[in-house]
Amino acid sequence: MTEQLDDLADLIRDERLRDLRVALDDLNTGDIVNFLERLGVKNRAVTFRLLPKDTAVQVFDQLDQALQHEIVEGLKDTDVAHFFESLDPDDRVRLMDEMPASVARKMLRHLDARERALTNIVLGYATGTIGREMSPEFVAIPEHWTIGQALEKVRLAAMDAETVYTLPVVDGHRLLKGVVSLRELMFTDEDTVVGAIMSEADSVDADHDAEDAARMCADRKHLAMPVTDKEHRLVGIFTVDDAMDILERAESEDAARHGGAEPLNRPYLSTPVLTIMRSRITWLLVLALGATLTVQVLDTYEETLEAVVVLALFVPLLIGTGGNTGNQAATTVTRALALGDVASRDVFRVLWREVRVGLTLGSVLGVLGFLVVSWRWDWDVGAVIGLTLVAICTLAASVGGMMPLLAKKIGADPAVFANPFITTFVDATGLIIYFVIAMAVLGL
Amino acid sequence: MTEQLDDLADLIRDERLRDLRVALDDLNTGDIVNFLERLGVKNRAVTFRLLPKDTAVQVFDQLDQALQHEIVEGLKDTDVAHFFESLDPDDRVRLMDEMPASVARKMLRHLDARERALTNIVLGYATGTIGREMSPEFVAIPEHWTIGQALEKVRLAAMDAETVYTLPVVDGHRLLKGVVSLRELMFTDEDTVVGAIMSEADSVDADHDAEDAARMCADRKHLAMPVTDKEHRLVGIFTVDDAMDILERAESEDAARHGGAEPLNRPYLSTPVLTIMRSRITWLLVLALGATLTVQVLDTYEETLEAVVVLALFVPLLIGTGGNTGNQAATTVTRALALGDVASRDVFRVLWREVRVGLTLGSVLGVLGFLVVSWRWDWDVGAVIGLTLVAICTLAASVGGMMPLLAKKIGADPAVFANPFITTFVDATGLIIYFVIAMAVLGL
């Protein structure tokens, strides 16, 4: 496979496009996507134009938004219009979000009335809500219909609808009454009324947070969930693959922020070095600015340092351990928040747990630190290190556990507060604790 | 909702079990799961036993493995046997993995012949492979059948099979020839032969890594994928909700390891403090041991420190910046690896990118550092800090980018190598660079 892709890359370099087209025919959609993701902008556009129309639409669907946008930019206007029409309304809206407003408007105008109306429904909801990610093309079954009628409707609609495996059931006012699965329809007698076999609908409000809705869909193992408006009228449906897309984007964002960088939103190897650098520099500067706090603290205690230089030796170890402890707590709580295992109101339960965990961890490390340092240096230096470890670990675990909850409460991203910010905070306060303990124990 | 759950907790405390049973009737499966996850072991077992049988099976299916295990331990033997029988073979195997071998064997013996045979198929594959996670209960359609025959088979099998929406098509030797979706069956003429409308199957080998297979299922937006043996004979199927379970477990593991702790494998609030502490202490000790390297390095340069104490002030800032830069690079590459955007063989492409990113970041920070430190202290100290920042950022980004790829190559978990190990490594080497530059510039 790997070699095959390298061969294809050679074909592009040698401009043997006819051969490339033939070679692409042998690949499945997934492989073509992998191949495109590894190419530069220009070669990607060239290769994409060689694909048969049907394959192109499928491949496009699986690419990251940033790459989709670049590809559309490389197509001729007539091609774009045709292509745009073949997308699902929700995918169309996601692509429009990436484009200049003028281009987006022009493309909307090219659509036929029905497609434009569907697209406008999705466009009506705010970014980040599930309304913006749902599909307005669903098959709803009136509750008084028989199963025979319902199956007939499914047969007629099967091509257009986003899914036919989970079917929302509505009353005469489009109010959502329940859901029924195609599986249930298939093994029930044709004359039974749908209302009699439907089950309670696990639906979500269109204004609901998209990530939260996706997590719900995943946790409850639904293939699709109906989306309703405030009056509980059916407005759309979102499927498990929409949910997985949303969760994957959210995980990528969390992972990046956790590592102190902005998400790239595109495959690593196809991202220009300058873009990668820009995704990191702001965070790095903010963190470095935060770290100047440690310079201030050490500057304040410079006389103490001058008197007992040996204290300087343990600075990286102490703040490193504090950072690690805080990081462990923050990661655990952030993940628990993401999975819905913990909520903002659990703040005191979390604090009480983390204080105990931190104290236990600190005691173990503190005793070890005391023994090793006493043996190698002096017992009083050992006592300083031991006590500092206990204090720093307790502080770090508590702060690390609280920060994600605090972030959630003020509407910030919990992942942001994890590693980098906690480290900075714990570094500075940890150093103050260190010198206060040192001055007390050493009698400076 | 929140208040409602608190009220339920009150009912347990007051031992008003009859009222609790009535109250539970009003909740949907998802809410019951949330409620159980927040209870202690004992109250959870009590509450679980109050659930109607059908609800109990559904709820059980959505709980974490550790909680499932605890619940089974609290049930009577006859209940366990009945309960065990109602699970799907793949869920049964996952539960057995958590139990003592003797209990697992006893439960296997209670199953009827068919269920035992199905369970043994799954048990035959190694932990961590997709064979261990797949369902052996599938509906396979012979390729020469008509669609009418196929639909009839689906109708008969609809209750037992894991899914009927994606149907594998086989020949007379059980060799996988393709797949057909129920949707396609439903709007094609009944007399058409299945082989004529089936599409190429995107299948996966039973020995394939489970996480990798799950990612494939998610990326390619399949509702289910057929699983085959080495001879390409159909042995099972795994569905998108299996895939999401696998991915969620993998993400939790990555998140925990990334934060320097072992995954808890159970909801945070239901985990005993000692278990949390144990999940963190090993890592903390290993990292502290690594950090003693920094003590050694500083000890070596103690004379230099004594001569120019001001150098000590910048230690946390410099190693912190190094750690952050390395962490950013590692996180990006780890995520790219997980998404399949980067492979082990891309090691030089990654290195070359990260060297350039690190050098650019280091130059920006270095110039800023030089200016600020020169203005506040001396120009020669400023030069030391500026040069060290350039060197440390370049080193950290390169090491941070390489480590996950190296880990992958030697079969270790890339997430493990990210944050904690890189920080330790960059801390020690960063300090050496710092003092070498300082001694050269300051002429010590």
Side-chain angles (χ1 to χ4, degrees):
Chain A
M1 190 65 247
T2 302
E3 281 168 35
Q4 204 181 341
L5 292 187
D6 286 343
D7 289 349
L8 289 187
D10 288 344
L11 292 180
I12 300 183
R13 216 193 31 234
D14 304 345
E15 299 192 351
R16 289 162 55 195
L17 297 187
R18 198 180 304 261
D19 294 337
L20 179 60
R21 186 199 303 255
V22 175
L24 285 170
D25 271 349
D26 292 339
L27 296 180
N28 65 31
T29 320
D31 292 332
I32 298 176
V33 170
N34 281 342
F35 179 58
L36 289 177
E37 281 177 346
R38 304 171 60 90
L39 293 175
V41 178
K42 221 181 202 166
N43 286 340
R44 192 182 308 123
V46 171
T47 312
F48 188 80
R49 278 199 294 269
L50 293 179
L51 297 173
K53 278 249 158 76
D54 284 357
T55 317
V57 174
Q58 283 174 36
V59 164
F60 189 84
D61 193 36
Q62 292 183 26
L63 287 173
D64 285 281
Q65 284 162 53
L67 299 195
Q68 289 182 340
H69 179 206
E70 283 171 9
I71 281 182
V72 167
E73 277 189 329
L75 294 176
K76 269 177 297 170
D77 267 11
T78 46
D79 284 345
V80 172
H82 172 92
F83 195 65
F84 198 63
E85 188 136 21
S86 69
L87 290 175
D88 285 335
D90 48 333
D91 295 328
R92 204 180 282 144
V93 167
R94 266 198 288 284
L95 185 57
M96 285 174 64
D97 282 341
E98 291 274 318
M99 295 176 175
S102 59
V103 180
R105 264 199 306 276
K106 206 170 76 185
M107 299 225 282
L108 252 191
R109 239 178 293 133
H110 279 299
L111 293 175
D112 67 38
R114 177 171 174 277
E115 288 294 328
R116 192 164 56 230
L118 288 172
T119 308
N120 277 331
I121 294 176
V122 178
L123 273 176
Y125 294 98
T127 313
T129 64
I130 192 66
R132 191 80 171 208
E133 308 272 350
M134 72 182 186
S135 166
E137 291 180 293
F138 49 81
V139 183
I141 310 286
E143 56 179 336
H144 61 271
W145 278 21
T146 63
I147 292 189
Q149 287 175 300
L151 281 174
E152 190 51 39
K153 181 165 185 185
V154 168
R155 260 180 223 113
L156 292 172
M159 275 310 269
D160 273 345
E162 176 87 4
T163 178
V164 293
Y165 298 136
T166 301
L167 301 160
V169 181
V170 292
D171 68 6
H173 306 284
R174 275 209 303 140
L175 286 175
L176 179 69
K177 305 307 272 184
V179 288
V180 66
S181 73
L182 182 56
R183 193 165 171 163
E184 285 161 322
L185 290 186
M186 287 200 64
F187 71 95
T188 313
D189 180 65
E190 294 236 327
D191 297 326
T192 313
V193 171
V194 170
I197 64 156
M198 71 183 179
S199 43
E200 209 187 321
D202 210 1
S203 67
V204 60
D205 194 279
D207 288 321
H208 201 89
D209 175 68
E211 186 182 342
D212 204 45
R215 180 74 64 189
M216 217 186 287
C217 179
D219 281 351
R220 303 186 182 172
K221 304 191 176 182
H222 294 308
L223 286 182
M225 283 177 81
V227 181
T228 56
D229 64 12
K230 292 219 165 23
E231 284 76 39
H232 209 60
R233 274 192 307 258
L234 184 67
V235 292
I237 198 159
F238 79 101
T239 56
V240 63
D241 44 273
D242 296 330
M244 285 197 299
D245 266 0
I246 295 169
L247 290 178
E248 186 177 307
R249 267 183 278 146
E251 304 276 4
S252 286
E253 208 176 281
D254 281 5
R257 295 258 168 78
H258 190 87
E262 284 303 301
L264 295 175
N265 289 328
R266 44 185 302 156
Y268 175 77
L269 288 179
S270 77
T271 313
V273 169
L274 220 66
T275 311
I276 299 184
M277 187 254 175
R278 254 186 279 127
S279 77
R280 299 186 190 169
I281 187 71
T282 321
W283 274 97
L284 218 49
L285 282 174
V286 171
L287 292 171
L289 195 72
T292 57
L293 267 180
T294 61
V295 181
Q296 302 292 334
V297 172
L298 288 172
D299 200 22
T300 314
Y301 293 104
E302 198 178 345
E303 275 178 44
T304 316
L305 263 181
E306 226 155 338
V308 197
V309 174
V310 73
L311 286 178
L313 308 190
F314 302 99
V315 166
L317 179 114
L318 291 173
I319 61 177
T321 303
N324 290 332
T325 314
N327 202 6
Q328 288 180 327
T331 308
T332 315
V333 175
T334 303
R335 185 70 188 158
L337 265 174
L339 294 178
D341 292 342
V342 157
S344 295
R345 69 196 167 94
D346 294 315
V347 56
F348 292 109
R349 288 179 76 176
V350 172
L351 181 61
W352 176 225
R353 296 187 140 243
E354 289 301 335
V355 166
R356 284 178 293 164
V357 173
L359 199 61
T360 326
L361 290 172
S363 306
V364 174
L365 289 177
V367 170
L368 281 174
F370 170 71
L371 291 175
V372 173
V373 176
S374 299
W375 166 71
R376 177 88 165 64
W377 285 272
D378 268 325
W379 77 266
D380 50 359
V381 181
V384 172
I385 302 302
L387 288 172
T388 307
L389 280 169
V390 178
I392 282 189
C393 285
T394 314
L395 172 79
S398 322
V399 173
M402 304 301 296
M403 282 279 195
L405 293 172
L406 200 78
K408 182 94 177 182
K409 204 146 207 164
I410 61 171
D413 184 340
V416 170
F417 276 71
N419 176 8
F421 268 109
I422 290 170
T423 308
T424 307
F425 178 81
V426 172
D427 281 2
T429 42
L431 284 175
I432 296 178
I433 294 177
Y434 182 35
F435 282 99
V436 168
I437 293 181
M439 287 163 77
V441 174
L442 304 178
L444 296 170
Chain B
M1 190 64 248
T2 302
E3 281 168 35
Q4 202 180 342
L5 292 187
D6 285 344
D7 287 349
L8 289 187
D10 288 344
L11 293 179
I12 301 184
R13 217 193 29 233
D14 304 343
E15 298 194 352
R16 290 163 53 196
L17 297 187
R18 200 181 303 261
D19 293 339
L20 179 60
R21 187 201 301 258
V22 174
L24 284 171
D25 270 350
D26 292 341
L27 296 181
N28 65 32
T29 319
D31 292 332
I32 299 177
V33 170
N34 281 342
F35 179 58
L36 289 178
E37 282 177 347
R38 304 170 60 89
L39 293 175
V41 178
K42 223 182 202 163
N43 286 340
R44 191 183 307 122
V46 171
T47 312
F48 187 80
R49 277 199 295 269
L50 292 178
L51 297 172
K53 277 249 159 77
D54 284 358
T55 316
V57 175
Q58 282 173 35
V59 165
F60 189 84
D61 193 37
Q62 292 183 26
L63 286 173
D64 285 283
Q65 283 161 55
L67 299 194
Q68 289 183 341
H69 179 206
E70 283 171 9
I71 282 182
V72 167
E73 276 188 331
L75 294 175
K76 271 178 297 173
D77 267 14
T78 47
D79 284 346
V80 171
H82 172 92
F83 195 67
F84 198 64
E85 187 136 22
S86 69
L87 291 175
D88 285 336
D90 48 334
D91 294 328
R92 204 179 284 145
V93 167
R94 267 199 288 282
L95 185 57
M96 287 175 62
D97 282 341
E98 291 274 318
M99 297 177 174
S102 59
V103 181
R105 262 199 307 275
K106 204 171 77 188
M107 299 226 283
L108 253 190
R109 241 179 290 132
H110 280 299
L111 293 174
D112 67 37
R114 178 169 173 277
E115 289 294 327
R116 193 164 55 229
L118 288 172
T119 308
N120 278 329
I121 294 176
V122 178
L123 274 175
Y125 294 99
T127 313
T129 64
I130 193 66
R132 190 82 170 205
E133 308 272 351
M134 72 182 186
S135 167
E137 291 180 294
F138 48 81
V139 183
I141 310 286
E143 57 179 334
H144 62 270
W145 278 20
T146 64
I147 291 191
Q149 288 175 298
L151 282 174
E152 192 51 38
K153 179 165 186 182
V154 168
R155 257 177 225 116
L156 292 172
M159 275 309 270
D160 273 347
E162 176 88 5
T163 178
V164 293
Y165 298 136
T166 301
L167 300 161
V169 180
V170 292
D171 69 6
H173 306 284
R174 276 209 302 138
L175 286 175
L176 180 69
K177 305 307 272 185
V179 288
V180 67
S181 72
L182 182 56
R183 192 166 174 160
E184 286 161 322
L185 290 186
M186 287 201 61
F187 72 95
T188 312
D189 181 63
E190 295 237 328
D191 298 327
T192 313
V193 172
V194 169
I197 64 157
M198 69 184 182
S199 43
E200 209 186 320
D202 210 0
S203 67
V204 60
D205 194 278
D207 288 320
H208 201 89
D209 176 68
E211 185 182 342
D212 204 48
R215 182 73 64 191
M216 216 188 285
C217 179
D219 282 350
R220 303 187 183 169
K221 303 191 176 180
H222 294 308
L223 285 183
M225 283 177 81
V227 181
T228 57
D229 64 11
K230 294 220 162 29
E231 284 75 40
H232 210 60
R233 274 191 308 255
L234 185 65
V235 293
I237 198 159
F238 77 101
T239 56
V240 63
D241 44 274
D242 297 330
M244 286 197 299
D245 266 0
I246 296 170
L247 290 178
E248 188 177 305
R249 268 182 279 148
E251 305 276 4
S252 286
E253 206 176 284
D254 281 6
R257 294 258 168 79
H258 190 87
E262 284 303 300
L264 295 176
N265 289 327
R266 45 185 302 154
Y268 176 76
L269 289 180
S270 78
T271 313
V273 169
L274 219 67
T275 311
I276 299 184
M277 187 253 175
R278 254 186 280 127
S279 77
R280 298 185 190 168
I281 186 71
T282 320
W283 274 96
L284 217 50
L285 283 174
V286 171
L287 292 171
L289 195 72
T292 57
L293 267 179
T294 60
V295 181
Q296 302 293 335
V297 172
L298 288 172
D299 201 22
T300 313
Y301 294 104
E302 199 180 341
E303 276 178 42
T304 316
L305 264 182
E306 226 153 341
V308 197
V309 175
V310 73
L311 287 178
L313 308 189
F314 303 99
V315 166
L317 178 113
L318 291 174
I319 62 177
T321 303
N324 290 332
T325 314
N327 202 5
Q328 289 179 327
T331 308
T332 315
V333 175
T334 303
R335 185 70 188 157
L337 264 175
L339 294 178
D341 291 343
V342 157
S344 293
R345 68 196 166 91
D346 293 316
V347 55
F348 290 109
R349 286 178 78 176
V350 172
L351 182 62
W352 176 226
R353 294 187 141 241
E354 289 300 335
V355 166
R356 283 178 294 164
V357 173
L359 200 61
T360 327
L361 291 171
S363 306
V364 174
L365 289 177
V367 170
L368 282 174
F370 170 71
L371 292 175
V372 173
V373 176
S374 299
W375 167 71
R376 176 90 164 64
W377 284 270
D378 269 326
W379 77 265
D380 51 358
V381 182
V384 172
I385 302 302
L387 288 173
T388 307
L389 279 169
V390 177
I392 282 189
C393 286
T394 313
L395 171 81
S398 324
V399 173
M402 304 301 294
M403 281 279 196
L405 292 172
L406 200 76
K408 181 95 176 181
K409 206 148 207 161
I410 62 172
D413 186 341
V416 170
F417 277 71
N419 175 8
F421 269 109
I422 290 168
T423 308
T424 306
F425 179 81
V426 171
D427 281 2
T429 44
L431 284 175
I432 296 178
I433 294 177
Y434 182 36
F435 282 100
V436 168
I437 292 180
M439 287 163 76
V441 174
L442 305 178
L444 295 170

